[in-house]
Amino acid sequence: MKFRIISLLAVSLSLILTNCQPLTSIQIETLVPSQIDFPGNYNLIVFANLDNDINNDQEIDTILYNMITNEMNLGFLDAIKMSAGVDSSAFLFVKGFPDKNKIYYNDTISWDYLDRLANSSRADIFILLDSLKLSMESDIYTNFYSEPTEYYKFRELAVQINWSVFDLFERKRLDSFSYKDTLYWEAYGYSKSQVESNLISLEQSIRETAYFAAYDYGKRILPGWKTEYRYYFNTGNIDFQTASDYVSNNNWDDAAAIWEKYVDHIDKEIASRACFNLAVANEIKGKFLLAIGWAERSNQIKPKTRTRYYIEILKERQQELEKLEKQLF
């Protein structure tokens, strides 16, 4: 079992609102769990492309298959690099032409065959491309009303992929997902030859389509980061302005010490703002239960739609934390 120690929150401050506004915005990166029951105690993740007859002509399309598989491998690697707690060295892909019929034999899963594909690597998570369908539309148009005559060409490539994820250790399917996307390219020129050269090649279009299909699916099945914004009150009195300076330097402890002095203030607006800010400070430090408590206290002192919305966000993050603990540690 691998243990991964990772910060639950990366913070970058972004002072977006002007100083005359009561609220200041900060940008944060929050951890979000995988959309599937991704285990945190895996050894290796393996990718295998089971569709080697791209043209559906009952023949193995070796060149096209290798091109697509290699680009998908790069897409998964980049998705892993952008994920949280997943090491790219723990990823590999199966070379050759895996036999789909041996995996899905008589409507059952051949776990022994998957074990053989893992090739004694102790891999226990398998990402499988079960089927792939590509369809393309392309045309060229001439604008005779322009001077000189202008040509326009487009290419539209639609992809549909059926993905699966299996846990070899638990002997169970973790995901079955139908992925659809359409990529579009266009080019202009003053001759047909020029517009043809300006439009990227069909090979490059296929490569980009394959890459993003894997990258997008990787983001679905792996825990990762999401950019969000939070707001805190920077005005109320001179001490709130001092606390805001501390926050600007990422010094949440000293800022919180100031806000704590005002949670019982006779001015309900000041007290509500202090409690709200303490909720934000505790979220930044990963203390979600404390953050929820301070946000609820802020709303009790002076109910606000903004505060109620923030309470829901915090409760959702607390639930996600329980999933993340299983996926990352």
Side-chain angles (χ1 to χ4, degrees):
M1 177 175 181
K2 297 183 178 180
F3 294 90
R4 301 172 179 80
I5 302 174
I6 187 162
S7 171
L8 289 177
L9 188 64
V11 183
S12 60
L13 299 181
S14 176
L15 301 181
I16 295 177
L17 304 182
T18 61
N19 291 332
C20 64
Q21 298 293 329
L23 288 168
T24 294
S25 168
I26 59 172
Q27 179 178 301
I28 64 175
E29 300 293 323
T30 60
L31 266 175
V32 292
S34 164
Q35 297 181 49
I36 69 173
D37 188 18
F38 188 85
N41 58 344
Y42 65 89
N43 291 309
L44 283 176
I45 304 171
V46 174
F47 160 57
N49 182 356
L50 304 184
D51 195 340
N52 52 38
D53 181 13
I54 314 300
N55 295 324
N56 296 317
D57 57 2
Q58 310 306 313
E59 298 288 340
I60 294 178
D61 307 311
T62 305
I63 296 177
L64 190 57
Y65 173 87
N66 288 335
M67 179 197 309
I68 290 173
T69 305
N70 289 334
E71 289 299 322
M72 286 184 169
N73 177 56
L74 295 176
F76 279 123
L77 280 172
D78 284 348
I80 288 173
K81 292 175 184 177
M82 297 298 293
S83 69
V86 181
D87 188 349
S88 59
S89 64
F91 175 79
L92 56 92
F93 77 103
V94 175
K95 298 180 180 179
F97 305 99
D99 192 336
K100 180 178 178 179
N101 294 324
K102 289 183 178 180
I103 295 177
Y104 301 109
Y105 182 73
N106 288 338
D107 296 325
T108 61
I109 306 300
S110 175
W111 299 106
D112 290 339
Y113 184 70
L114 287 176
D115 286 333
R116 291 197 295 274
L117 285 181
N119 194 25
S120 303
S121 63
R122 297 188 304 114
D124 40 21
I125 302 296
F126 249 91
I127 304 172
L128 298 180
L129 186 156
D130 292 325
S131 64
L132 168 68
K133 180 180 179 181
L134 291 172
S135 59
M136 184 184 72
E137 288 189 19
S138 181
D139 209 341
I140 187 168
Y141 299 96
T142 305
N143 183 2
F144 294 104
Y145 297 99
S146 65
E147 182 61 39
T149 301
E150 188 175 55
Y151 295 86
Y152 166 78
K153 184 174 182 179
F154 79 92
R155 179 183 300 122
E156 183 179 280
L157 196 58
V159 60
Q160 180 175 344
I161 299 174
N162 289 320
W163 294 105
S164 292
V165 179
F166 291 97
D167 185 333
L168 270 67
F169 182 77
E170 295 287 343
R171 292 306 204 235
K172 67 179 182 180
R173 185 194 293 265
L174 299 179
D175 193 34
S176 180
F177 183 72
S178 179
Y179 171 89
K180 296 180 181 179
D181 194 17
T182 301
L183 277 70
Y184 190 88
W185 300 266
E186 59 183 4
Y188 296 87
Y190 295 110
S191 67
K192 288 186 177 181
S193 60
Q194 185 182 42
V195 77
E196 291 283 358
S197 63
N198 288 343
L199 188 68
I200 69 170
S201 66
L202 177 58
E203 176 184 335
Q204 186 60 31
S205 292
I206 294 174
R207 288 183 181 276
E208 290 184 12
T209 302
Y211 171 89
F212 284 110
Y215 182 80
D216 291 344
Y217 188 60
K219 288 166 59 178
R220 167 182 167 81
I221 64 176
L222 301 170
W225 297 95
K226 180 173 67 173
T227 299
E228 297 187 64
Y229 290 89
R230 296 291 183 266
Y231 301 89
Y232 72 93
F233 291 94
N234 66 336
T235 62
N237 56 37
I238 192 170
D239 281 349
F240 272 66
Q241 295 173 12
T242 301
S244 181
D245 292 336
Y246 283 133
V247 172
S248 299
N249 294 311
N250 207 25
N251 185 351
W252 289 92
D253 290 334
D254 286 345
I258 292 176
W259 295 324
E260 286 173 354
K261 296 188 298 183
Y262 292 95
V263 297
D264 295 315
H265 198 274
I266 191 172
D267 186 330
K268 289 188 176 182
E269 179 63 28
I270 294 293
S272 177
R273 289 185 181 189
C275 292
F276 187 93
N277 287 356
L278 285 167
V280 177
N282 279 282
E283 183 193 7
I284 298 301
K285 292 186 285 186
K287 300 177 180 180
F288 298 111
L289 290 178
L290 282 175
I292 293 170
W294 281 116
E296 290 177 337
R297 182 170 174 179
S298 173
N299 196 57
Q300 289 171 359
I301 295 172
K302 195 167 185 178
K304 296 178 181 178
T305 302
R306 177 192 299 113
T307 309
R308 290 194 296 271
Y309 175 68
Y310 184 41
I311 291 171
E312 293 304 314
I313 291 176
L314 291 172
K315 288 182 177 179
E316 183 178 347
R317 288 211 64 202
Q318 176 63 26
Q319 293 174 351
E320 289 180 343
L321 176 61
E322 297 172 1
K323 295 180 181 179
L324 283 165
E325 287 177 343
K326 297 178 181 179
Q327 295 178 3
L328 296 179
F329 305 109

